[in-house]
Amino acid sequence: TPSRLARIAAIETARGAKADAVLRLMSLCILISEDAERLRQELRLSNAEAERMIRAARLLETLHGGETPPGEQDGLALLFEHGRQACLDALTLAQAESHNAAGDAGWMAAHKFMREAAEPQLPFTGADLIAQGVTPGPQMGQILKALQADWIRAGFPRDPAALNRLLKKATGDS
């Protein structure tokens, strides 16, 4: 919407950021991921531009209507699931939809966190499960998925002892 575009421009100014044409186009045309798909076709966007818009739109669908940005723990989960660019885009669009000032400290801090935080990388692989005696096959994928969910719930620990506990729990070797 035009008002969201004006808010995006004000947010970019408050952050001292350059105007981002793709983000501004998103502010005018995208509310849900299907909007991004339509734009891909209508405007003949590059694959990279279209993928950026689609990923941001998917995340934005979960952030619509929020007056406060996600906290750091939720931010890490979003980074893990959606990647940095989608998080930055969706966060900016969500801020533009909120009733907060362009330079709101909470939104500025959340954007800085999303920009600077290390993207979490799952510290487990199938090889780790095999080392714990899990036989390769469909069950391994299920265990790895459960292990990933436990790792996220535990707050993305990096400590080897915590990782080992999660691995043992997932493989039934308490």
Side-chain angles (χ1 to χ4, degrees):
T1 65
S3 64
R4 194 164 67 159
L5 173 60
R7 300 236 335 120
I8 291 290
I11 290 166
E12 288 173 333
T13 299
R15 291 182 185 157
K18 294 181 191 172
D20 183 330
V22 174
L23 182 62
R24 287 180 176 207
L25 179 60
M26 283 191 272
S27 74
L28 286 171
C29 304
I30 294 181
L31 291 173
I32 57 175
S33 55
E34 288 81 7
D35 295 336
E37 291 286 355
R38 262 190 305 283
L39 274 182
R40 173 194 297 243
Q41 313 256 322
E42 296 292 325
L43 299 180
R44 297 185 188 172
L45 300 171
S46 72
N47 288 338
E49 290 167 334
E51 187 60 31
R52 176 181 173 190
M53 288 183 179
I54 291 165
R55 292 174 61 89
R58 285 184 187 142
L59 177 52
L60 181 61
E61 289 171 357
T62 68
L63 298 176
H64 280 306
E67 289 299 315
T68 59
E72 288 187 5
Q73 199 60 36
D74 289 335
L76 285 174
L78 295 174
L79 277 172
F80 178 73
E81 187 175 342
H82 299 278
R84 186 173 320 281
Q85 188 64 57
C87 287
L88 292 170
D89 290 341
L91 190 67
T92 303
L93 291 166
Q95 179 182 358
E97 291 175 358
S98 77
H99 294 96
N100 295 286
D104 180 82
W107 286 96
M108 295 285 267
H111 189 270
K112 182 178 190 293
F113 175 80
M114 290 290 191
R115 195 177 61 246
E116 296 175 358
E119 285 186 55
Q121 300 293 318
L122 185 65
F124 305 105
T125 64
D128 296 317
L129 297 180
I130 291 170
Q132 293 293 315
V134 175
T135 306
Q139 158 192 352
M140 181 181 284
Q142 294 169 344
I143 292 171
L144 199 54
K145 195 171 197 165
L147 180 57
Q148 176 180 307
D150 286 346
W151 177 67
I152 291 169
R153 269 192 299 279
F156 305 95
R158 294 182 191 164
D159 171 54
L163 294 175
N164 193 40
R165 279 192 300 276
L166 289 171
L167 186 59
K168 298 269 188 210
K169 178 184 172 220
T171 58
D173 188 14
S174 308

